[in-house]
Structure formats: structure tokens, C-alpha cells
Amino acid sequence: KAEFKWLRKRLYDRICCLILYEMCVENPLARVVNISSKPTRKFKPRPLNTVALQKLASKKLKMTSEAIMNVAEKLYQRGFLSYPRTETDAFSPQMDFNPFIEAQTA
């Protein structure tokens, strides 16, 4: 009987994994006695403004700002990417976005 009582969701210790593997090979039949789950929510990432895109891509991809913007422009032209032409993500509550959305989806 193998009891799994560790608090972590994953096990990274190679020897512990090997021991559990060998236990499973020696006794390949198992019986599930309990299944538990909890609801999870995955939030959509917030869009990046141009400066945030450049900073993140420069840090993670080691690219120059010019190269980043060239790639972003090509992806935008092919329809894979939508990026703002402004540096703000705060808009007036009275702003009507419908004409902009309709122009993009037409």
C-alpha cells in the first residue's frame, strides 16, 4: 500500500520518485479510494502596453527594442497579435468602444 501524504503537488526528489516507481512496478494493480478536486479559475492575462512588451521581451528574449517592435509589427500585420498604439490602459467610463470593436471584427 502506497500512501501519498506530502503537502506539495509535485515530487522532485529523484530517489523518492524511484522508490514510488519501483513500488508501482512490483504491484501494478491499484485501487483509487478517494478523489478530491477543487474549482480553479484561470484569469486572462492583462494586455501589455508597448513599453511593457519591450521590457518583458528584452528581459526574457534578450532582444533589442527595435527587433521586438519589428516582430510585433509583423505579427500584428498577420493577425496574430493585437497591441495598443497608446501607452495607456485607463480610459474614461463614458468612452464608447463599440465603433472600434466593430471595425476590428468586420
Side-chain angles (χ1 to χ4, degrees):
K1 179 178 180 182
E3 291 188 30
F4 303 98
K5 293 187 178 183
W6 58 81
L7 298 176
R8 294 179 297 185
K9 302 263 189 263
R10 293 175 175 83
L11 188 61
Y12 296 105
D13 186 329
R14 183 177 172 87
I15 294 180
C16 289
C17 291
L18 184 59
I19 290 169
L20 291 172
Y21 170 76
E22 288 175 351
M23 290 172 65
C24 292
V25 169
E26 289 174 9
N27 297 305
L29 297 177
R31 180 171 54 103
V32 177
V33 294
N34 184 20
I35 298 175
S36 63
S37 65
K38 60 181 179 178
T40 58
R41 293 189 296 185
K42 191 171 186 179
F43 297 101
K44 292 182 180 178
R46 292 191 54 137
L48 297 174
N49 63 29
T50 307
V51 173
L53 170 66
Q54 289 174 314
K55 285 181 180 179
L56 186 63
S58 176
K59 180 179 178 181
K60 299 289 184 179
L61 303 174
K62 309 295 186 216
M63 296 171 67
T64 66
S65 292
E66 184 179 351
I68 293 162
M69 295 313 296
N70 287 338
V71 170
E73 183 65 29
K74 289 176 185 173
L75 291 170
Y76 173 76
Q77 289 173 352
R78 292 181 180 177
F80 293 110
L81 176 69
S82 155
Y83 67 96
R85 303 286 182 169
T86 180
E87 294 308 315
T88 185
D89 56 4
F91 299 96
S92 166
Q94 290 79 25
M95 185 163 184
D96 182 17
F97 290 101
N98 289 328
F100 301 109
I101 296 169
E102 289 170 4
Q104 296 297 316
T105 58

